[in-house]
């Protein structure tokens, strides 16, 4: 299989083919995922929780993400690799550009930022400087203290409408991919239909153009509790390679996530 690019993902959206993605943090797992044909991998700031044992993602630094991006890139040549911009690493223009440069030079193909229309200029500036950007709306974990916990977002119609508008604004600013986390399926459907870029969901139902899971959740080895929106593919198969293949085939068939793994 050749290298996955943003145009591969655009074509998949147009053809109605589901995109499979997963977080990765090291070369060995990245190699397993890459060999299985995983379309997208994310070096998520979730590493603060699943690797470092913190209770949220806020302590993660840009150097942590850059280090793990280098590791994943060594194991995965074909996947489209996204690296998370951690908490406060894109608070000012200067920080944004120098931190994004670190991640791109570490081997990322795209960086991900969390938030709505306040990021318009940040995204425009990155895109103008040849840094592809992925947006992230819904339960954005860097805002856990504003939300008062890891809670489903967009349940009331005003907030839902606002999120649809933010998605359109982010697309206008230049994002080429959007992650939706922990929102009602109906809202995820409305957002996926409102934008032309591929949309990847986690806890957003099976209506988006693809899915992403934290690898530890998909393998049932999370530090702490496995979230409702995940499924233990390792327990179902008893083998890591088979678990990855099952996750991807269930996403591709539209069987994962089912209603029991979604918020309605
Ligand atoms: O950090 C992360 O792993 C993420 C995914 C949950 C999308 O942002």
């Amino acid at each position: 299989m050749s290298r996955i690019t943003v145009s591969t993902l655009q074509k998949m959206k147009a053809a109605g083919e589901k995109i499979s993605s997963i977080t990765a943090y090291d070369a060995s797992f990245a190699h397993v995922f890459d060999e299985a044909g995983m379309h997208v991998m994310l070096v998520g700031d979730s590493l603060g929780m699943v690797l470092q044992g913190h209770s949220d993602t806020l302590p993660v630094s840009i150097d942590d993400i850059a280090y793990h991006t280098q590791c994943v890139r060594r194991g995965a040549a074909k996947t489209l690799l996204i690296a998370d911009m951690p908490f406060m690493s894109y608070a000012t223009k200067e920080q944004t550009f120098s931190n994004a440069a670190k991640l791109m030079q570490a081997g990322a193909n795209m960086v991900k930022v969390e938030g709505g229309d306040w990021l318009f200029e940040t995204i425009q500036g990155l895109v103008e400087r040849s840094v592809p950007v992925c947006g992230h709306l819904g339960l954005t974990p860097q805002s856990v203290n504003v939300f008062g916990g890891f809670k489903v977002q967009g349940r009331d119609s005003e907030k839902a409408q606002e999120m649809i508008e933010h998605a359109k604004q982010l697309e206008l600013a230049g994002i080429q991919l959007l992650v939706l986390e922990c929102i009602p399926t109906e809202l995820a459907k409305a957002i996926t239909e409102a934008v032309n870029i591929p949309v990847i969901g986690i806890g957003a139902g099976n209506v988006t153009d693809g899915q992403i899971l934290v690898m530890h959740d998909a393998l049932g080895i999370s530090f702490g509790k496995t979230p409702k929106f995940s499924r233990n593919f390792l327990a179902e198969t008893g083998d890591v390679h088979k678990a990855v293949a099952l996750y991807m085939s269930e996403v591709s068939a539209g069987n994962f996530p089912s209603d029991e793994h979604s918020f309605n």
Side-chain angles (χ1 to χ4, degrees), residues 27-193:
S28 299
F29 273 111
H31 186 65
V32 170
F33 302 149
D34 209 43
E35 287 298 291
M38 194 68 69
H39 305 114
V40 177
M41 281 179 227
L42 167 71
V43 179
D45 57 2
S46 50
L47 70 83
M49 300 172 80
V50 295
L51 298 192
Q52 298 172 339
H54 296 294
S55 57
D56 58 41
T57 62
L58 273 58
V60 176
S61 71
I62 194 75
D63 290 338
D64 292 336
I65 301 282
Y67 169 77
H68 288 281
T69 300
Q70 286 173 346
C71 298
V72 169
R73 183 81 284 172
R74 286 185 206 116
K78 293 173 283 206
T79 197
L80 185 131
L81 181 56
I82 307 176
D84 249 341
M85 299 280 287
F87 181 64
M88 282 293 162
S89 68
Y90 47 106
T92 68
K93 228 177 180 176
E94 289 69 28
Q95 281 175 328
T96 304
F97 297 154
S98 74
N99 287 329
K102 277 191 188 175
L103 301 187
M104 296 301 284
Q105 287 168 346
N109 303 118
M110 185 179 269
V111 300
K112 177 162 80 60
V113 288
E114 296 184 5
D117 58 357
W118 68 273
L119 285 172
F120 197 91
E121 280 178 23
T122 305
I123 293 165
Q124 256 187 344
L126 285 168
V127 172
E128 279 163 7
R129 286 158 183 80
S130 304
V131 178
V133 184
C134 174
H136 187 161
L137 292 173
L139 170 49
T140 44
Q142 290 169 21
S143 304
V144 64
N145 292 303
V146 178
F147 297 148
F150 294 100
K151 295 177 183 165
V152 177
Q153 299 297 306
R155 282 214 195 264
D156 68 80
S157 60
E158 199 183 318
K159 289 276 178 211
Q161 197 50 46
E162 188 182 83
M163 209 183 294
I164 297 171
E165 291 311 315
H166 283 188
K168 290 185 193 165
Q169 284 296 311
L170 295 184
E171 181 178 26
L172 215 58
I175 61 164
Q176 288 178 292
L177 195 62
L178 176 63
V179 169
L180 296 178
E181 180 164 353
C182 288
I183 60 170
T185 303
E186 206 178 303
L187 174 57
K189 187 168 187 294
I191 295 175
T192 305
E193 287 170 359

Side-chain angles (χ1 to χ4, degrees), residues 204-225:
N206 66 356
V207 292
T208 51
D209 302 309
Q211 298 295 324
I212 183 159
L213 280 180
V214 171
M215 58 159 280
H216 294 67
D217 292 340
L219 300 177
I221 52 167
S222 300
F223 181 76
K225 197 172 128 220

Side-chain angles (χ1 to χ4, degrees), residues 233-244:
F233 292 93
L234 182 58
E236 289 178 44
T237 55
D239 174 272
V240 169
H241 297 271
K242 287 183 188 159
V244 175

